[in-house]
Each structure stands twice: as C-alpha cells, then as structure tokens.
C-alpha cells in the first residue's frame, strides 16, 4: 500500500532506534497530557517495545521528525503471533502526520498478512475514549469499537491484612524453572482464550519477551493449585510503578470449572497486601468490561474504582 497522505513540509521519517526512547517518551507524554490530562506512560515500557522480540523496527516502526529533529509522530504495526492479527498505533497531535502514519501502519499490516499467507487480517487499535481525533480517524476508515476497557484502581493508605487462602488451595509464588513456566503459560492461554484482542504467543516467544523486560519478573508470577493442578494465576509487574507508584496486575484468571470458589478474590486481596507492604500507593489493573467472566463486578466488589476508559477498535480487511 502506498501512502496517500502527505507529511508536512520539513518532516522526515526513519525507523525508531533504542536511543530514541526518550524522544518518543516526550512525544507520547505530551500527547497523552492533551488527551487525558497527564503523561500516562513509562520510559522503560517505551524503550522495551522498540526492542521487543517479534518487532522489526526497520520494517514495523516509523518515527516522524520535524525540521528541528524533534519527534512529532510515532507509529508501529506489530504482528501479534503470526495468525493474521496485527496491532497498530499512530501517535501525533498533527492530523496530517497521524493520517500519514495510519496509511503506513495499515500498509504494513497488509504486508504482514501476505507474508503469513493470510487472505485477510484483523487489525486492532487500543485508544482512550477521550481521544476524539484518533476515534474520528478510525471510524472514518471503517474501524468499529469491539470492546471497552476500564482502568481500575484501589488506594492503599496503610497496611492491608493478609488474604485468607481458601481451603484446599496451594499457592506457588515465582516461576523459576522450565516446568513451572510452561505450566504458567499454558494456564494463562487457557484462561484468556477467545477474549477480545488476545493472541497467544508461542512459548519460546513468551519466554523471550519476559526475559528481555525489566517490567516483568518471574518472582511476581503466582499460581494457585488444587489437587496438584494449576487452576488460577496472577501476573503482576512494575508497569505502573514509575507513573503512579502503584502495583500493576497485568493478568488474572481462573479456569472456568474452578470459578466461584473465591480464588480470584484471594489473588486480588493478596496483591493489595503485597503492594501495601512494599509502600505502593495503590494497585492498578485493566479490565475488559465485556469479559464473559463478569470481571468488572468482581473488581468493584473488592473496592476498586474505575478511572480511565479505553476502546478496542478493530477492522478486518483483505490483504490485497
């Protein structure tokens, strides 16, 4: 696909490099502040995405620079697993730059589909509900909102009591060997299978991502077992540490046949107690409000409150 949009005079484009992380951070911080009132991004997260396993910066990323050399736009297309699902994003306060990045990311998404031998691809974009410019751009190109996410938070103003473990349940904290990591990954895939936007990574890719990330640690991955079977998990990380001094639950799930036994509540209360003991101001997570497990009701019931709203936008299109 050849871009039909034109960049403003004086702009140049190149692939992002690890040394660009701070410039991209400044760009995204300013953009987010305009949209939601605060920066809402972490430098480590941006830096790691540029070198994330599976992301080819030379083909999959675009950094738009103004005549003074400062970033004015950033976009990427990321193959989520080789199955014809691609995540794209385009960030710029200049509508002309955003439109150009839209064309480039969508063109690359089609290329990824062709390279994978797919007749069509599914393209996902994750956007703030308050981002009217991006919402108008996406809806004007036949994207539809597939689901809504809410950021949930609970504040910790003092010590939090230790969670009470349900009878017959064993806690496994930290995944330090190949077998436990395989069990954890298989459980995560089973719990999230079929949910909007979830594409399981091959196990080796999942391992490589976690090993390369400074935000995720094997010590923060927790499993619950019943009769020797892993049935529930919590995956915490440091994603909200820099921006909010909060713990962050990146994933929480319970196998369907084991729901309703208080396992998810234990994992939440346990995270709250650990975060409070570590001096965190609160605990944050993101929930798909259309989750078939009625997760939003669970988080509200344990005292978490919603703040930011996001939409998952999707378009399915032929690669030719």
């Amino acid at each position: 696909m050849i871009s039909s949009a034109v960049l403003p005079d004086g702009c140049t484009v190149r692939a992002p490099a690890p040394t660009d992380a701070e410039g991209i951070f400044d760009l995204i911080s300013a953009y987010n502040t305009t949209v939601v009132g605060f920066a809402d991004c972490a430098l480590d997260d941006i830096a790691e995405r540029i070198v994330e396993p599976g992301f080819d910066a030379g083909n999959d990323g675009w950094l738009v620079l103004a005549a003074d050399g400062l970033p004015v736009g950033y976009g990427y297309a990321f193959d989520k697993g080789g199955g014809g699902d691609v995540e794209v994003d385009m960030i710029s306060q200049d509508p002309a730059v955003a439109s150009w990045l839209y064309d480039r990311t969508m063109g690359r998404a089609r290329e990824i589909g062709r390279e994978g031998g797919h007749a069509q691809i599914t393209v996902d974009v994750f956007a703030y509900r308050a981002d009217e410019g991006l919402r108008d751009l996406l809806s004007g190109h036949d994207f539809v909102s597939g689901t809504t996410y809410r950021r949930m938070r609970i504040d910790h103003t003092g010590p939090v009591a230790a969670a009470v473990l349900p009878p017959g349940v064993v806690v496994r904290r930290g995944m330090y060997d190949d077998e436990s990591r395989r069990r954890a990954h298989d459980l995560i895939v089973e719990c999230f299978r079929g949910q909007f936007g979830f594409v399981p990574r091959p196990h080796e890719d999942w391992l490589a991502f976690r090993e390369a990330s400074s935000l995720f640690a094997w010590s923060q991955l927790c499993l619950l077992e019943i009769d020797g079977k892993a049935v529930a998990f919590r995956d915490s990380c440091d994603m909200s540490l820099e921006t909010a001094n909060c713990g962050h639950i990146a994933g929480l799930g319970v196998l369907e046949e084991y729901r309703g036994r208080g396992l998810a509540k234990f994992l939440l209360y346990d995270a709250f107690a650990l975060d409070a003991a570590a001096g965190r101001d609160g605990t944050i997570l993101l929930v798909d409000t259309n989750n078939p497990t009625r997760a939003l009701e669970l988080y509200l019931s344990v005292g978490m409150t919603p703040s930011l709203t996001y939409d998952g936008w999707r378009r399915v299109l032929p690669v030719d």
Side-chain angles (χ1 to χ4, degrees):
M1 176 180 177
I2 299 174
S3 175
S4 60
V6 178
L7 288 173
D9 291 342
C11 286
T12 58
V13 184
R14 61 173 173 80
T19 53
D20 294 315
E22 289 192 9
I24 296 172
F25 171 78
D26 291 340
L27 168 71
I28 296 176
S29 296
Y31 183 90
N32 290 349
T33 299
T34 299
V35 175
V36 297
F38 61 105
D40 197 31
C41 65
L43 178 59
D44 284 348
D45 187 35
I46 293 168
E48 290 179 8
R49 286 181 177 270
I50 297 174
V51 296
E52 182 173 346
F55 178 69
D56 179 358
N59 291 313
D60 301 338
W62 299 268
L63 182 62
V64 182
L65 306 173
D68 59 6
L70 294 177
V72 292
Y74 180 56
Y76 63 81
F78 183 75
D79 185 351
K80 295 200 287 184
D85 296 273
V86 180
E87 178 184 331
V88 305
D89 201 3
M90 58 292 300
I91 301 159
S92 180
Q93 295 190 57
D94 186 324
V97 175
S99 293
W100 187 91
L101 286 168
Y102 174 87
D103 285 353
R104 292 307 303 139
T105 56
M106 293 299 290
R108 178 57 183 150
R110 284 191 170 96
E111 290 175 358
I112 290 172
R114 286 194 294 270
E115 291 166 2
H118 304 289
Q120 65 180 27
I121 54 168
T122 299
V123 182
D124 289 335
V125 182
F126 185 69
Y128 295 113
R129 172 70 59 84
D131 193 341
E132 296 181 1
L134 182 54
R135 187 172 69 241
D136 290 345
L137 176 64
L138 296 172
S139 61
H141 286 86
D142 299 323
F143 273 80
V144 295
S145 179
T147 195
T148 296
Y149 300 89
R150 298 299 298 270
R151 179 182 294 175
M152 309 295 293
R153 173 170 174 159
I154 188 169
D155 292 325
H156 307 314
T157 58
V160 174
V164 178
L165 188 65
V169 179
V170 175
V171 183
R172 303 292 185 193
R173 299 185 188 277
M175 305 295 116
Y176 301 111
D177 59 79
D178 292 342
E179 181 181 354
S180 63
R181 292 172 183 179
R182 169 64 74 175
R183 293 175 72 223
H185 187 215
D186 289 346
L187 178 61
I188 291 169
V189 171
E190 185 61 28
C191 287
F192 283 107
R193 191 185 305 278
Q195 294 192 27
F196 184 91
F198 176 72
V199 177
R201 294 176 185 245
H203 185 65
E204 294 304 319
D205 291 353
W206 180 75
L207 290 175
F209 164 76
R210 294 190 67 103
E211 291 287 356
S213 176
S214 65
L215 300 176
F216 287 84
W218 294 115
S219 61
Q220 296 192 73
L221 186 52
C222 173
L223 301 185
L224 300 184
E225 296 178 354
I226 295 179
D227 297 328
K229 179 180 179 179
V231 299
F233 81 95
R234 184 189 66 236
D235 193 9
S236 298
C237 70
D238 293 337
M239 190 173 297
S240 297
L241 185 57
E242 177 185 334
T243 57
N245 189 38
C246 284
H248 189 104
I249 299 176
L252 187 148
V254 180
L255 291 179
E256 184 174 3
E257 60 269 33
Y258 290 90
R259 293 169 188 163
R261 303 190 187 191
L263 303 182
K265 280 192 175 181
F266 168 80
L267 289 169
L268 288 167
Y269 286 131
D270 184 60
F272 301 162
L274 292 171
D275 288 340
R280 307 290 181 251
D281 293 336
T283 302
I284 289 173
L285 58 77
L286 196 66
V287 59
D288 181 347
T289 60
N290 293 314
N291 188 309
T293 65
R294 302 171 70 178
L296 178 60
E297 294 180 16
L298 168 67
Y299 301 139
L300 291 170
S301 74
V302 297
M304 303 191 85
T305 56
S307 55
L308 289 178
T309 301
Y310 312 79
D311 291 307
W313 292 81
R314 171 167 289 181
R315 183 181 178 189
V316 179
L317 71 164
V319 300
D320 296 324

